[in-house]
Amino acid sequence: MQKMWEYKRIGKSMVCLLAAGALTFSNINIVMAADPQAVAEKTEDEKAPKGILGNGTNGISIDIHGTVYKNYAKKSYGSYAYGPEGCAWFASARASELTGNDTPIFDGMNWYHTWYDNYGYTRGQKPHAKALACYTGHVAVVEQVDGDEITISEGGWGPAGKEHGYTIIQTMTQKELESDRGGTGAFIGYVYLDGAQLGGEDNPSNPGDGNSENSDQNNNQNNNSGNHSGNENAGEGGNIADGWHNDGVAWQYFQNGRALTSQWVSDSGKWYYVGADTYMESLTWLQLGGKWYYLTTDGSMATGWVQLGSEWYYLNADGSMATGWMQLGNDWYYLNANGVMAADTWVDGFYLESDGKWQVPGTWYLNENGWWYSYPAGGYPAACWEMIGNDWYHFDAQGYMETGWIWDGAAWYYLQENGAMLKNCWISNYYVGDNGAMYTDRWTPDGYYVGGDGLWIPEK
């Protein structure tokens, strides 16, 4: 028989792809197989149901569900689209919308220092409509300048919230725009998407490009400084001086007049890697000799904890990615085979908390569901009695401590608020013996009779 359907999971829904037709049932979406794009576009729309926050501010309207924004979300560098780290995605799409050019923006720093020129744009230090505001850790779009009131649009703006795809149109002063606005990093300058020549172009030292009137001084101070300051001065005999140089595409490291390839470069206590094409690698994973390394925004090799998206990784002192069990100080962590730190899960019978730390065994723990106990050798009791210290406790099937009256399949027992089982005492009009079980149809040690349901019968 010919197969007429196929089920696939998209998000939290099960999608049935049919040869034709489209129906909707509870929790099931059935979409024509001939139009899978409809599923993808619906998913993008659901990411930011309220659209950009502040839409219409000072006459600026932006449809973040428009074609250009969806197209950039599908590119390899659009993985953060509609998310709290989506500033580059938004700026790329908005720049393309304003200029008609494909403008892939990875970060503000590289665009201000290098990539602006590749697209025929200009740069400077004066705010201007239709410009990128570049920071060391962020990029925004200047939409309108009215005196000291500047209207900008940007993505990756946390306060905008998930319902707005973390995008916003807002106004602020020039001073506010050119400050570290809560995680944007230091302000660098503006890239003018209309090629404006406003003057005030600077030569920042991290990294610079040797274009300012002080370039010679900067070159002498920063050669091999780790700042990759532009050093276009020739060495003796006309050879290119040793150190970092930017050819308008990316950074290269020269030694004895030649650009190094496929090797590590040590510079001011940091390590960088230049690839086979002579260019410095950045914002990427690098696999060498069976080990993985991560190169940061400025190209330097990462060490210690690194957060990428919602995942945490640990890079050893030599930069290699850690895997397996790892001890830091008095704490233990587990890094999966892909380097991602395990959290809120069990590994080898041990529980790792939300911060990745292994909970000390032989200890009580409390979470939103209740108290549970970790065995000294790892693991936890579930659906059973357990003596801990001098008291008996009972745990449900999920491993959480029970309280109050419980039936264990053979008798009734009473567990205090702290979980410890009571014994040899009255609990209201019921009596529990030395093993904790409730008496039924018998006399208690102090001369009272309880019936089949355990309740004291005064008449006897």
Side-chain angles (χ1 to χ4, degrees), residues 369-420:
N369 296 315
W371 286 96
W372 61 279
Y373 182 78
S374 174
Y375 284 133
Y380 61 93
C384 66
W385 287 98
E386 190 73 33
M387 175 169 272
I388 302 172
N390 295 319
D391 293 304
W392 282 98
Y393 299 83
H394 194 271
F395 298 86
D396 65 18
Q398 284 71 48
Y400 292 104
M401 180 192 79
E402 295 188 280
T403 61
W405 286 105
I406 67 162
W407 172 260
D408 74 346
W412 285 96
Y413 298 82
Y414 187 83
L415 308 174
Q416 302 176 76
E417 286 188 11
N418 66 0

Side-chain angles (χ1 to χ4, degrees), residues 95-267:
S96 177
E97 192 172 43
L98 291 172
T99 65
N101 300 327
D102 181 16
T103 308
I105 298 169
F106 298 97
D107 65 80
M109 190 163 67
N110 284 340
W111 256 83
Y112 185 84
H113 290 297
T114 304
W115 284 87
Y116 77 96
D117 195 41
N118 296 344
Y119 287 78
Y121 303 147
T122 52
R123 65 179 184 172
Q125 292 295 300
K126 298 179 181 179
H128 177 64
K130 205 173 181 180
L132 301 176
C134 301
Y135 306 78
T136 56
H138 186 62
V139 59
V141 180
V142 178
E143 300 284 349
Q144 182 176 297
V145 178
D146 184 8
D148 193 42
E149 182 181 84
I150 301 175
T151 305
I152 69 167
S153 63
E154 59 189 333
W157 186 251
K162 184 177 180 180
E163 67 272 20
H164 297 288
Y166 301 93
T167 61
I168 189 172
I169 301 174
Q170 58 181 326
T171 61
M172 60 188 63
T173 65
Q174 181 177 351
K175 182 178 180 180
E176 290 171 332
L177 178 60
E178 296 177 2
S179 64
D180 184 339
R181 298 183 290 117
T184 61
F187 177 77
I188 304 172
Y190 299 97
V191 171
Y192 306 128
L193 301 176
D194 59 0
Q197 298 287 343
L198 301 183
E201 183 174 317
D202 70 345
N203 182 41
S205 61
N206 186 17
D209 59 8
N211 287 334
S212 79
E213 60 184 6
N214 296 320
S215 62
D216 289 341
Q217 179 180 350
N218 288 336
N219 289 332
N220 292 333
Q221 292 176 344
N222 293 321
N223 187 26
N224 293 329
S225 69
N227 289 331
H228 303 352
S229 293
N231 183 358
E232 304 307 328
N233 296 337
E236 294 184 9
N239 291 327
I240 297 177
D242 288 354
W244 291 104
H245 299 267
N246 194 306
D247 66 353
V249 176
W251 292 98
Q252 300 169 296
Y253 193 88
F254 280 78
Q255 197 171 76
N256 299 323
R258 299 175 65 89
L260 301 183
T261 62
S262 302
Q263 63 182 281
W264 290 102
V265 174
S266 177
D267 190 350

Side-chain angles (χ1 to χ4, degrees), residues 248-364:
V249 176
W251 292 98
Q252 300 169 296
Y253 193 88
F254 280 78
Q255 197 171 76
N256 299 323
R258 299 175 65 89
L260 301 183
T261 62
S262 302
Q263 63 182 281
W264 290 102
V265 174
S266 177
D267 190 350
S268 298
K270 294 184 178 182
W271 286 94
Y272 304 82
Y273 191 83
V274 289
D277 60 359
T278 75
Y279 294 122
M280 180 192 77
E281 303 279 359
S282 65
L283 284 175
T284 188
W285 285 100
L286 175 70
Q287 186 178 29
L288 290 173
K291 296 182 178 180
W292 285 95
Y293 303 83
Y294 186 75
L295 303 169
T296 63
T297 302
D298 67 357
S300 61
M301 179 189 76
T303 58
W305 287 109
V306 172
Q307 184 178 19
L308 301 176
S310 60
E311 310 290 2
W312 284 94
Y313 301 80
Y314 189 84
L315 290 309
N316 296 311
D318 65 356
S320 62
M321 182 185 76
T323 59
W325 285 104
M326 174 186 70
Q327 184 177 15
L328 292 177
N330 294 323
D331 297 314
W332 282 90
Y333 301 84
Y334 186 83
L335 292 309
N336 292 305
N338 63 358
V340 175
M341 181 191 77
D344 281 329
T345 189
W346 290 89
V347 175
D348 298 336
F350 301 102
Y351 187 75
L352 299 164
E353 300 181 82
S354 58
D355 61 0
K357 293 179 182 178
W358 166 38
Q359 294 189 334
V360 179
T363 305
W364 284 98

Side-chain angles (χ1 to χ4, degrees), residues 59-81:
I60 307 299
S61 295
I62 298 173
D63 179 11
I64 59 172
H65 295 124
T67 301
V68 65
Y69 295 89
K70 290 181 178 179
N71 285 343
Y72 272 87
K74 297 170 189 172
K75 293 179 182 288
S76 59
Y77 48 82
S79 57
Y80 295 119

